[in-house]
C-alpha cells in the first residue's frame, strides 16, 4: 500500500470526476460545484458531442462557477491554450482520447493523460502522466460494451510505465478491488453526477479510497 500511495501522490487526486451533462441530475455546473465542495480536486471536462465553441463555453462556465484554484481541470488538447491563458492561476491539464494523436506538452509541469482500453495500455513511448483504463466494469454510459474486468486492469497496470486510473462502473463497493489490482486512482461519472446527493456520493468514494490506503 505504501508504494501505491506514493504513486497516487503524483496525480492531482485519487478521485477523478468526468463530466457528462446528459447524466447530471442537476445542471452540470451545479453538480460539479457540489462535487468540488465535497472534496473533488480533479475534473475532466469530456462532453464529446460539443463543438469547439460549445466546449470552450462550458469550460469557462464550469471554472467560473467553481472558482477553486485547488482543482485541476483536464481539457481537450484544442482547448488548452485558451483555457491556460484565460485562467493562468488555475491548474489546467490535457486529456487525450484513445485515438488522439500524440501531443507535446508546452510546459514540463502540466498534466497530460490518455484513455486506453484492454490490450493497448502498454508503454508506447509516449510521455504521459497517467493512463485512463476503461471500462473495468459494466457501465450505463457504454451499453453493450464488454467490460475488461479486474484481471485486464491488473495487466494494464503491469504493462503501463505510468499510473493507471480505472474507469467504468466504478462504485464505492468495487473501489478497493481496483486499488488491489494496482490502480493509482479511480474515475467516476454517473456514480456522482446521477446520484441523489452529489456531495454524499463524493464523500462515499473519498472515504472508501482513504480506507484503501491511497490519499
Amino acid at each position: 500500500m505504501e508504494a501505491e500511495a506514493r504513486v497516487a501522490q503524483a496525480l492531482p487526486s485519487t478521485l477523478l470526476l468526468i463530466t457528462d451533462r446528459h447524466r447530471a441530475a442537476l445542471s452540470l455546473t451545479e453538480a460539479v460545484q457540489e462535487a468540488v465542495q465535497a472534496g473533488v480536486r480533479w475534473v475532466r471536462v469530456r462532453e464529446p458531442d460539443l463543438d469547439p465553441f460549445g466546449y470552450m463555453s462550458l469550460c469557462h462556465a464550469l471554472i467560473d462557477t467553481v472558482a477553486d484554484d485547488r482543482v485541476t481541470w483536464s481539457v481537450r488538447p484544442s482547448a488548452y491554450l485558451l483555457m491556460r491563458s484565460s485562467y493562468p492561476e488555475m491548474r489546467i491539464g490535457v486529456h487525450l482520447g484513445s485515438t488522439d494523436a500524440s501531443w507535446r506538452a508546452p510546459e514540463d509541469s502540466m498534466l497530460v493523460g490518455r484513455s486506453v482500453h484492454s490490450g493497448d495500455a502498454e508503454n508506447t513511448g509516449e510521455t504521459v502522466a497517467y493512463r485512463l483504463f476503461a471500462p473495468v466494469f459494466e457501465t450505463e454510459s457504454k451499453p453493450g460494451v464488454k467490460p475488461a474486468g479486474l484481471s485486464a486492469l491488473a495487466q494494464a497496470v503491469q504493462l503501463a510505465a505510468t499510473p493507471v486510473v480505472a474507469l467504468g462502473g466504478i462504485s464505492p463497493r468495487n473501489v478497493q478491488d481496483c486499488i488491489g489490482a494496482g490502480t493509482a486512482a479511480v474515475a467516476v461519472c454517473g456514480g456522482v453526477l446521477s446520484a441523489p446527493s452529489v456531495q454524499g456520493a463524493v464523500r462515499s468514494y473519498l472515504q472508501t479510497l482513504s480506507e484503501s490506503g491511497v490519499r
Side-chain angles (χ1 to χ4, degrees):
M1 285 299 181
E2 291 181 2
E4 291 168 359
R6 286 195 296 272
V7 168
Q9 288 173 8
L11 301 177
S13 173
T14 56
L15 180 65
L16 167 61
L17 175 62
I18 298 179
T19 73
D20 183 341
R21 67 194 191 285
H22 302 299
R23 300 182 70 188
L26 305 171
S27 72
L28 186 60
T29 52
E30 290 177 310
V32 173
Q33 184 178 42
E34 289 209 8
V36 170
Q37 289 173 348
V40 164
R41 296 293 177 261
W42 186 12
V43 180
R44 176 193 172 195
V45 185
R46 187 170 178 266
E47 312 303 329
D49 61 325
L50 285 180
D51 62 27
F53 179 79
Y55 183 83
M56 296 280 196
S57 297
L58 179 61
C59 287
H60 279 290
L62 288 169
I63 297 175
D64 288 342
T65 298
V66 171
D68 191 325
D69 61 9
R70 296 173 297 177
V71 177
T72 296
W73 300 90
S74 292
V75 301
R76 295 177 186 173
S78 59
Y80 172 75
L81 290 178
L82 178 58
M83 291 298 105
R84 189 73 184 89
S85 61
S86 299
Y87 303 97
E89 75 284 4
M90 294 294 183
R91 299 181 175 96
I92 309 290
V94 163
H95 187 87
L96 303 168
S98 59
T99 60
D100 286 341
S102 294
W103 192 80
R104 186 175 180 82
E107 303 171 59
D108 292 339
S109 61
M110 72 170 294
L111 184 78
V112 180
R114 177 179 289 282
S115 293
V116 296
H117 305 290
S118 182
D120 62 0
E122 68 275 4
N123 181 20
T124 60
E126 180 181 46
T127 302
V128 293
Y130 66 93
R131 286 178 166 81
L132 182 66
F133 181 84
V136 180
F137 305 107
E138 290 186 5
T139 173
E140 293 181 8
S141 65
K142 295 192 180 298
V145 175
K146 184 179 179 180
L150 289 169
S151 295
L153 175 62
Q155 183 180 30
V157 170
Q158 292 297 316
L159 291 173
T162 53
V164 171
V165 180
L167 170 66
I170 308 297
S171 73
R173 295 187 301 275
N174 56 38
V175 163
Q176 291 191 3
D177 294 330
C178 295
I179 299 302
T183 189
V186 297
V188 297
C189 181
V192 166
L193 297 180
S194 302
S197 169
V198 169
Q199 294 199 19
V202 170
R203 293 189 185 106
S204 181
Y205 279 104
L206 291 175
Q207 177 65 29
T208 305
L209 283 162
S210 177
E211 291 172 354
S212 299
V214 292
R215 295 173 178 81

